[in-house]
Amino acid sequence: GAPEALAIESRTAIEGFRRYDILDNRNVNLATGCTAKYNATARSLTDLLCESPVCGTGMLRLRGSAGVTPTSPNTGLRNSDRPRYDLTLVAHKLPLASLLNLLHEAKQQLPSDLAATGLLDAEFNAVYDGSEPTQFTGAGSATDVRLSSNAGREVVAIGNIPLALVADSRCCKSGHSRANAAAKEGANGREPEPLEAHLRIGPTSLEVNA
């Protein structure tokens, strides 16, 4: 394409992903394919789409745009340009078993026989225009969640778990987050929900066998 509309296509794959100090017999492979249009003059990326299939039925998808906002358009200086982006991450029918395998390769001290069943569906969005704090929104759910160990003899049935990406733009104002967190904790005597962007998990019911 022309410099103002370059077509970009990429494929990336990682075989045998694991943390350097974790050794087991799992074979976790990661792969993604991306397409986008790049404007070299405006230094902007549009129509971004990255897709990663998971176990045939699941899909992890990233779409959106990114670029820069010149702070001094008449000077030609680039060292103070502000980034901007509008990105959406979508998880469609992701098997929790695959996510747990990935977690096993990144986190030590998980029981080696811990297994999970269920599916994850979610959509999360992050928008930053170069001036205001990043705005986070999104929600999702994990359905029919069950954890088991000891060859399936020990089972925890959790069912459906709602997820929500929660953000408060006040978190980025100096001193606000810490002061308000301390005030809330002192007022109710328990740990407060953070003011910065975070993932809220639940509430949900819990069934445990004997």
Side-chain angles (χ1 to χ4, degrees):
E4 290 77 17
L6 293 173
I8 297 176
E9 182 175 345
S10 68
R11 295 289 183 269
T12 304
I14 301 176
E15 296 182 358
F17 172 84
R18 65 175 178 84
R19 210 172 81 174
Y20 75 97
D21 55 350
I22 296 179
L23 299 176
D24 59 25
N25 59 1
R26 293 179 177 83
N27 186 24
V28 175
N29 299 323
L30 307 176
T32 187
C34 295
T35 58
K37 293 180 181 178
Y38 181 68
N39 186 323
T41 304
R43 292 180 294 154
S44 64
L45 200 65
T46 58
D47 296 336
L48 172 65
L49 178 62
C50 295
E51 294 185 328
S52 301
V54 182
C55 290
T57 60
M59 179 67 70
L60 190 64
R61 182 179 294 112
L62 177 68
R63 63 175 187 266
S65 61
V68 295
T69 300
T71 54
S72 302
N74 297 324
T75 64
L77 298 177
R78 294 189 173 188
N79 57 356
S80 60
D81 289 349
R82 299 188 301 268
R84 54 178 173 80
Y85 51 81
D86 184 346
L87 299 172
T88 299
L89 180 65
V90 178
H92 176 67
K93 296 187 181 304
L94 287 187
L96 294 184
S98 297
L99 296 180
L100 181 59
N101 283 339
L102 183 62
L103 186 60
H104 269 292
E105 300 300 333
K107 178 69 175 176
Q108 285 185 324
Q109 299 175 341
L110 286 178
S112 60
D113 65 344
L114 180 64
T117 60
L119 296 175
L120 173 65
D121 288 276
E123 181 171 323
F124 303 116
N125 179 250
V127 178
Y128 179 63
D129 63 2
S131 57
E132 295 296 325
T134 302
Q135 299 298 311
F136 295 99
T137 56
S141 65
T143 56
D144 298 327
V145 179
R146 292 171 64 91
L147 303 177
S148 64
S149 62
N150 193 16
R153 288 187 288 271
E154 298 177 9
V155 178
V156 178
I158 303 176
N160 299 336
I161 305 175
L163 306 172
L165 185 58
V166 182
D168 188 331
S169 61
R170 297 173 300 168
C171 72
C172 299
K173 295 182 179 180
S174 177
H176 188 280
S177 178
R178 184 173 299 177
N180 279 272
K184 285 187 176 181
E185 185 174 8
N188 56 30
R190 62 177 183 270
E191 185 177 355
E193 186 170 356
L195 290 177
E196 61 269 14
H198 60 282
L199 183 65
R200 181 188 295 157
I201 304 175
T204 186
S205 60
L206 183 66
E207 296 180 8
V208 183
N209 61 8

PDB file of all heavy atoms in Angstrom, residues 100-127:
ATOM      1  N   LEU A 100      -5.989 -22.325  32.881  1.00  0.00           N
ATOM      2  CA  LEU A 100      -5.300 -22.899  34.036  1.00  0.00           C
ATOM      3  C   LEU A 100      -3.947 -23.473  33.621  1.00  0.00           C
ATOM      4  O   LEU A 100      -2.956 -23.343  34.357  1.00  0.00           O
ATOM      5  CB  LEU A 100      -6.166 -23.971  34.688  1.00  0.00           C
ATOM      6  CG  LEU A 100      -5.570 -24.637  35.938  1.00  0.00           C
ATOM      7  CD1 LEU A 100      -5.293 -23.599  37.019  1.00  0.00           C
ATOM      8  CD2 LEU A 100      -6.511 -25.718  36.467  1.00  0.00           C
ATOM      9  N   ASN A 101      -3.876 -24.108  32.455  1.00  0.00           N
ATOM     10  CA  ASN A 101      -2.588 -24.609  31.961  1.00  0.00           C
ATOM     11  C   ASN A 101      -1.592 -23.475  31.796  1.00  0.00           C
ATOM     12  O   ASN A 101      -0.404 -23.615  32.123  1.00  0.00           O
ATOM     13  CB  ASN A 101      -2.781 -25.330  30.632  1.00  0.00           C
ATOM     14  CG  ASN A 101      -3.362 -26.713  30.804  1.00  0.00           C
ATOM     15  OD1 ASN A 101      -3.272 -27.310  31.888  1.00  0.00           O
ATOM     16  ND2 ASN A 101      -3.957 -27.244  29.747  1.00  0.00           N
ATOM     17  N   LEU A 102      -2.059 -22.343  31.283  1.00  0.00           N
ATOM     18  CA  LEU A 102      -1.184 -21.183  31.127  1.00  0.00           C
ATOM     19  C   LEU A 102      -0.733 -20.678  32.487  1.00  0.00           C
ATOM     20  O   LEU A 102       0.440 -20.325  32.681  1.00  0.00           O
ATOM     21  CB  LEU A 102      -1.922 -20.079  30.360  1.00  0.00           C
ATOM     22  CG  LEU A 102      -1.130 -18.814  30.045  1.00  0.00           C
ATOM     23  CD1 LEU A 102       0.053 -19.127  29.140  1.00  0.00           C
ATOM     24  CD2 LEU A 102      -2.025 -17.769  29.400  1.00  0.00           C
ATOM     25  N   LEU A 103      -1.646 -20.658  33.445  1.00  0.00           N
ATOM     26  CA  LEU A 103      -1.298 -20.204  34.795  1.00  0.00           C
ATOM     27  C   LEU A 103      -0.291 -21.142  35.444  1.00  0.00           C
ATOM     28  O   LEU A 103       0.617 -20.699  36.164  1.00  0.00           O
ATOM     29  CB  LEU A 103      -2.563 -20.109  35.650  1.00  0.00           C
ATOM     30  CG  LEU A 103      -2.408 -19.514  37.052  1.00  0.00           C
ATOM     31  CD1 LEU A 103      -1.867 -18.087  36.971  1.00  0.00           C
ATOM     32  CD2 LEU A 103      -3.739 -19.530  37.799  1.00  0.00           C
ATOM     33  N   HIS A 104      -0.418 -22.447  35.199  1.00  0.00           N
ATOM     34  CA  HIS A 104       0.535 -23.422  35.733  1.00  0.00           C
ATOM     35  C   HIS A 104       1.955 -23.128  35.250  1.00  0.00           C
ATOM     36  O   HIS A 104       2.924 -23.367  35.985  1.00  0.00           O
ATOM     37  CB  HIS A 104       0.134 -24.839  35.301  1.00  0.00           C
ATOM     38  CG  HIS A 104      -0.763 -25.537  36.274  1.00  0.00           C
ATOM     39  ND1 HIS A 104      -0.343 -25.936  37.529  1.00  0.00           N
ATOM     40  CD2 HIS A 104      -2.063 -25.916  36.173  1.00  0.00           C
ATOM     41  CE1 HIS A 104      -1.344 -26.533  38.155  1.00  0.00           C
ATOM     42  NE2 HIS A 104      -2.398 -26.529  37.366  1.00  0.00           N
ATOM     43  N   GLU A 105       2.082 -22.622  34.018  1.00  0.00           N
ATOM     44  CA  GLU A 105       3.406 -22.364  33.462  1.00  0.00           C
ATOM     45  C   GLU A 105       3.968 -21.012  33.890  1.00  0.00           C
ATOM     46  O   GLU A 105       5.125 -20.705  33.591  1.00  0.00           O
ATOM     47  CB  GLU A 105       3.343 -22.419  31.931  1.00  0.00           C
ATOM     48  CG  GLU A 105       2.878 -23.748  31.373  1.00  0.00           C
ATOM     49  CD  GLU A 105       3.779 -24.901  31.787  1.00  0.00           C
ATOM     50  OE1 GLU A 105       4.979 -24.658  32.050  1.00  0.00           O
ATOM     51  OE2 GLU A 105       3.302 -26.036  31.869  1.00  0.00           O
ATOM     52  N   ALA A 106       3.155 -20.201  34.552  1.00  0.00           N
ATOM     53  CA  ALA A 106       3.607 -18.869  34.956  1.00  0.00           C
ATOM     54  C   ALA A 106       3.661 -18.689  36.467  1.00  0.00           C
ATOM     55  O   ALA A 106       4.297 -17.752  36.952  1.00  0.00           O
ATOM     56  CB  ALA A 106       2.690 -17.804  34.360  1.00  0.00           C
ATOM     57  N   LYS A 107       3.009 -19.568  37.205  1.00  0.00           N
ATOM     58  CA  LYS A 107       2.891 -19.404  38.647  1.00  0.00           C
ATOM     59  C   LYS A 107       3.337 -20.666  39.364  1.00  0.00           C
ATOM     60  O   LYS A 107       2.847 -21.749  39.081  1.00  0.00           O
ATOM     61  CB  LYS A 107       1.431 -19.086  39.011  1.00  0.00           C
ATOM     62  CG  LYS A 107       1.156 -18.947  40.493  1.00  0.00           C
ATOM     63  CD  LYS A 107       1.806 -17.713  41.068  1.00  0.00           C
ATOM     64  CE  LYS A 107       1.404 -17.534  42.547  1.00  0.00           C
ATOM     65  NZ  LYS A 107       2.104 -16.374  43.155  1.00  0.00           N
ATOM     66  N   GLN A 108       4.262 -20.515  40.284  1.00  0.00           N
ATOM     67  CA  GLN A 108       4.708 -21.648  41.081  1.00  0.00           C
ATOM     68  C   GLN A 108       3.709 -21.949  42.202  1.00  0.00           C
ATOM     69  O   GLN A 108       2.819 -21.161  42.502  1.00  0.00           O
ATOM     70  CB  GLN A 108       6.082 -21.365  41.684  1.00  0.00           C
ATOM     71  CG  GLN A 108       7.226 -21.453  40.686  1.00  0.00           C
ATOM     72  CD  GLN A 108       8.571 -21.280  41.359  1.00  0.00           C
ATOM     73  OE1 GLN A 108       8.707 -20.511  42.304  1.00  0.00           O
ATOM     74  NE2 GLN A 108       9.575 -21.986  40.863  1.00  0.00           N
ATOM     75  N   GLN A 109       3.881 -23.130  42.806  1.00  0.00           N
ATOM     76  CA  GLN A 109       3.157 -23.545  44.008  1.00  0.00           C
ATOM     77  C   GLN A 109       1.679 -23.832  43.758  1.00  0.00           C
ATOM     78  O   GLN A 109       0.909 -23.933  44.716  1.00  0.00           O
ATOM     79  CB  GLN A 109       3.313 -22.506  45.132  1.00  0.00           C
ATOM     80  CG  GLN A 109       4.764 -22.300  45.550  1.00  0.00           C
ATOM     81  CD  GLN A 109       4.951 -21.206  46.572  1.00  0.00           C
ATOM     82  OE1 GLN A 109       4.082 -20.358  46.734  1.00  0.00           O
ATOM     83  NE2 GLN A 109       6.066 -21.212  47.265  1.00  0.00           N
ATOM     84  N   LEU A 110       1.268 -23.966  42.517  1.00  0.00           N
ATOM     85  CA  LEU A 110      -0.081 -24.455  42.239  1.00  0.00           C
ATOM     86  C   LEU A 110      -0.053 -25.984  42.294  1.00  0.00           C
ATOM     87  O   LEU A 110       0.899 -26.603  41.824  1.00  0.00           O
ATOM     88  CB  LEU A 110      -0.559 -24.008  40.862  1.00  0.00           C
ATOM     89  CG  LEU A 110      -0.963 -22.551  40.696  1.00  0.00           C
ATOM     90  CD1 LEU A 110      -1.347 -22.292  39.247  1.00  0.00           C
ATOM     91  CD2 LEU A 110      -2.107 -22.187  41.609  1.00  0.00           C
ATOM     92  N   PRO A 111      -1.074 -26.619  42.866  1.00  0.00           N
ATOM     93  CA  PRO A 111      -1.107 -28.086  42.871  1.00  0.00           C
ATOM     94  C   PRO A 111      -1.013 -28.624  41.447  1.00  0.00           C
ATOM     95  O   PRO A 111      -1.731 -28.176  40.555  1.00  0.00           O
ATOM     96  CB  PRO A 111      -2.469 -28.399  43.507  1.00  0.00           C
ATOM     97  CG  PRO A 111      -2.797 -27.186  44.315  1.00  0.00           C
ATOM     98  CD  PRO A 111      -2.221 -26.028  43.565  1.00  0.00           C
ATOM     99  N   SER A 112      -0.123 -29.584  41.230  1.00  0.00           N
ATOM    100  CA  SER A 112       0.110 -30.073  39.873  1.00  0.00           C
ATOM    101  C   SER A 112      -1.105 -30.769  39.283  1.00  0.00           C
ATOM    102  O   SER A 112      -1.280 -30.807  38.064  1.00  0.00           O
ATOM    103  CB  SER A 112       1.303 -31.031  39.863  1.00  0.00           C
ATOM    104  OG  SER A 112       1.065 -32.141  40.719  1.00  0.00           O
ATOM    105  N   ASP A 113      -1.992 -31.320  40.156  1.00  0.00           N
ATOM    106  CA  ASP A 113      -3.158 -32.036  39.640  1.00  0.00           C
ATOM    107  C   ASP A 113      -4.426 -31.189  39.664  1.00  0.00           C
ATOM    108  O   ASP A 113      -5.518 -31.708  39.450  1.00  0.00           O
ATOM    109  CB  ASP A 113      -3.384 -33.327  40.430  1.00  0.00           C
ATOM    110  CG  ASP A 113      -3.734 -33.056  41.888  1.00  0.00           C
ATOM    111  OD1 ASP A 113      -3.503 -31.906  42.346  1.00  0.00           O
ATOM    112  OD2 ASP A 113      -4.236 -33.961  42.567  1.00  0.00           O
ATOM    113  N   LEU A 114      -4.287 -29.900  39.910  1.00  0.00           N
ATOM    114  CA  LEU A 114      -5.453 -29.015  39.905  1.00  0.00           C
ATOM    115  C   LEU A 114      -5.993 -28.892  38.485  1.00  0.00           C
ATOM    116  O   LEU A 114      -5.256 -28.584  37.550  1.00  0.00           O
ATOM    117  CB  LEU A 114      -5.081 -27.635  40.442  1.00  0.00           C
ATOM    118  CG  LEU A 114      -6.206 -26.595  40.486  1.00  0.00           C
ATOM    119  CD1 LEU A 114      -7.309 -27.039  41.445  1.00  0.00           C
ATOM    120  CD2 LEU A 114      -5.654 -25.228  40.906  1.00  0.00           C
ATOM    121  N   ALA A 115      -7.288 -29.140  38.308  1.00  0.00           N
ATOM    122  CA  ALA A 115      -7.931 -29.064  36.997  1.00  0.00           C
ATOM    123  C   ALA A 115      -9.141 -28.157  37.074  1.00  0.00           C
ATOM    124  O   ALA A 115      -9.689 -27.909  38.155  1.00  0.00           O
ATOM    125  CB  ALA A 115      -8.337 -30.457  36.517  1.00  0.00           C
ATOM    126  N   ALA A 116      -9.577 -27.651  35.921  1.00  0.00           N
ATOM    127  CA  ALA A 116     -10.721 -26.740  35.876  1.00  0.00           C
ATOM    128  C   ALA A 116     -11.551 -27.030  34.639  1.00  0.00           C
ATOM    129  O   ALA A 116     -11.028 -27.424  33.595  1.00  0.00           O
ATOM    130  CB  ALA A 116     -10.259 -25.286  35.860  1.00  0.00           C
ATOM    131  N   THR A 117     -12.851 -26.833  34.767  1.00  0.00           N
ATOM    132  CA  THR A 117     -13.752 -26.890  33.624  1.00  0.00           C
ATOM    133  C   THR A 117     -14.624 -25.632  33.632  1.00  0.00           C
ATOM    134  O   THR A 117     -14.798 -24.995  34.675  1.00  0.00           O
ATOM    135  CB  THR A 117     -14.651 -28.138  33.661  1.00  0.00           C
ATOM    136  OG1 THR A 117     -15.440 -28.113  34.867  1.00  0.00           O
ATOM    137  CG2 THR A 117     -13.819 -29.413  33.622  1.00  0.00           C
ATOM    138  N   GLY A 118     -15.177 -25.306  32.484  1.00  0.00           N
ATOM    139  CA  GLY A 118     -15.998 -24.111  32.358  1.00  0.00           C
ATOM    140  C   GLY A 118     -15.517 -23.270  31.187  1.00  0.00           C
ATOM    141  O   GLY A 118     -14.490 -23.551  30.564  1.00  0.00           O
ATOM    142  N   LEU A 119     -16.275 -22.218  30.886  1.00  0.00           N
ATOM    143  CA  LEU A 119     -15.967 -21.345  29.766  1.00  0.00           C
ATOM    144  C   LEU A 119     -15.964 -19.886  30.215  1.00  0.00           C
ATOM    145  O   LEU A 119     -16.733 -19.501  31.106  1.00  0.00           O
ATOM    146  CB  LEU A 119     -16.987 -21.522  28.635  1.00  0.00           C
ATOM    147  CG  LEU A 119     -17.038 -22.892  27.961  1.00  0.00           C
ATOM    148  CD1 LEU A 119     -18.185 -22.929  26.944  1.00  0.00           C
ATOM    149  CD2 LEU A 119     -15.720 -23.221  27.279  1.00  0.00           C
ATOM    150  N   LEU A 120     -15.119 -19.094  29.572  1.00  0.00           N
ATOM    151  CA  LEU A 120     -15.022 -17.665  29.866  1.00  0.00           C
ATOM    152  C   LEU A 120     -15.463 -16.865  28.647  1.00  0.00           C
ATOM    153  O   LEU A 120     -14.968 -17.073  27.536  1.00  0.00           O
ATOM    154  CB  LEU A 120     -13.588 -17.289  30.231  1.00  0.00           C
ATOM    155  CG  LEU A 120     -13.300 -15.790  30.403  1.00  0.00           C
ATOM    156  CD1 LEU A 120     -14.070 -15.231  31.600  1.00  0.00           C
ATOM    157  CD2 LEU A 120     -11.812 -15.536  30.553  1.00  0.00           C
ATOM    158  N   ASP A 121     -16.422 -15.941  28.867  1.00  0.00           N
ATOM    159  CA  ASP A 121     -16.846 -14.982  27.847  1.00  0.00           C
ATOM    160  C   ASP A 121     -16.759 -13.586  28.456  1.00  0.00           C
ATOM    161  O   ASP A 121     -17.333 -13.336  29.527  1.00  0.00           O
ATOM    162  CB  ASP A 121     -18.282 -15.259  27.397  1.00  0.00           C
ATOM    163  CG  ASP A 121     -18.389 -16.511  26.550  1.00  0.00           C
ATOM    164  OD1 ASP A 121     -18.154 -16.421  25.334  1.00  0.00           O
ATOM    165  OD2 ASP A 121     -18.702 -17.587  27.110  1.00  0.00           O
ATOM    166  N   ALA A 122     -16.057 -12.683  27.793  1.00  0.00           N
ATOM    167  CA  ALA A 122     -15.896 -11.339  28.354  1.00  0.00           C
ATOM    168  C   ALA A 122     -15.493 -10.365  27.259  1.00  0.00           C
ATOM    169  O   ALA A 122     -14.987 -10.764  26.194  1.00  0.00           O
ATOM    170  CB  ALA A 122     -14.851 -11.342  29.463  1.00  0.00           C
ATOM    171  N   GLU A 123     -15.731  -9.084  27.516  1.00  0.00           N
ATOM    172  CA  GLU A 123     -15.298  -8.016  26.619  1.00  0.00           C
ATOM    173  C   GLU A 123     -14.862  -6.825  27.451  1.00  0.00           C
ATOM    174  O   GLU A 123     -15.635  -6.300  28.259  1.00  0.00           O
ATOM    175  CB  GLU A 123     -16.415  -7.604  25.656  1.00  0.00           C
ATOM    176  CG  GLU A 123     -16.002  -6.507  24.679  1.00  0.00           C
ATOM    177  CD  GLU A 123     -17.025  -6.262  23.589  1.00  0.00           C
ATOM    178  OE1 GLU A 123     -17.635  -7.240  23.118  1.00  0.00           O
ATOM    179  OE2 GLU A 123     -17.229  -5.093  23.219  1.00  0.00           O
ATOM    180  N   PHE A 124     -13.604  -6.398  27.266  1.00  0.00           N
ATOM    181  CA  PHE A 124     -13.034  -5.299  28.030  1.00  0.00           C
ATOM    182  C   PHE A 124     -12.488  -4.242  27.067  1.00  0.00           C
ATOM    183  O   PHE A 124     -11.903  -4.576  26.035  1.00  0.00           O
ATOM    184  CB  PHE A 124     -11.908  -5.783  28.950  1.00  0.00           C
ATOM    185  CG  PHE A 124     -12.328  -6.857  29.913  1.00  0.00           C
ATOM    186  CD1 PHE A 124     -11.770  -8.120  29.838  1.00  0.00           C
ATOM    187  CD2 PHE A 124     -13.285  -6.605  30.878  1.00  0.00           C
ATOM    188  CE1 PHE A 124     -12.153  -9.121  30.725  1.00  0.00           C
ATOM    189  CE2 PHE A 124     -13.683  -7.591  31.760  1.00  0.00           C
ATOM    190  CZ  PHE A 124     -13.106  -8.858  31.685  1.00  0.00           C
ATOM    191  N   ASN A 125     -12.679  -2.969  27.429  1.00  0.00           N
ATOM    192  CA  ASN A 125     -12.285  -1.862  26.569  1.00  0.00           C
ATOM    193  C   ASN A 125     -11.418  -0.873  27.344  1.00  0.00           C
ATOM    194  O   ASN A 125     -11.681  -0.582  28.514  1.00  0.00           O
ATOM    195  CB  ASN A 125     -13.531  -1.162  26.016  1.00  0.00           C
ATOM    196  CG  ASN A 125     -13.174   0.024  25.132  1.00  0.00           C
ATOM    197  OD1 ASN A 125     -13.406   1.161  25.511  1.00  0.00           O
ATOM    198  ND2 ASN A 125     -12.618  -0.229  23.970  1.00  0.00           N
ATOM    199  N   ALA A 126     -10.367  -0.374  26.678  1.00  0.00           N
ATOM    200  CA  ALA A 126      -9.495   0.654  27.258  1.00  0.00           C
ATOM    201  C   ALA A 126      -9.347   1.785  26.250  1.00  0.00           C
ATOM    202  O   ALA A 126      -8.993   1.547  25.089  1.00  0.00           O
ATOM    203  CB  ALA A 126      -8.132   0.078  27.611  1.00  0.00           C
ATOM    204  N   VAL A 127      -9.633   3.024  26.698  1.00  0.00           N
ATOM    205  CA  VAL A 127      -9.565   4.195  25.827  1.00  0.00           C
ATOM    206  C   VAL A 127      -8.691   5.256  26.490  1.00  0.00           C
ATOM    207  O   VAL A 127      -8.896   5.595  27.664  1.00  0.00           O
ATOM    208  CB  VAL A 127     -10.968   4.782  25.549  1.00  0.00           C
ATOM    209  CG1 VAL A 127     -10.860   6.022  24.672  1.00  0.00           C
ATOM    210  CG2 VAL A 127     -11.859   3.745  24.888  1.00  0.00           C
TER     211      VAL A 127
END
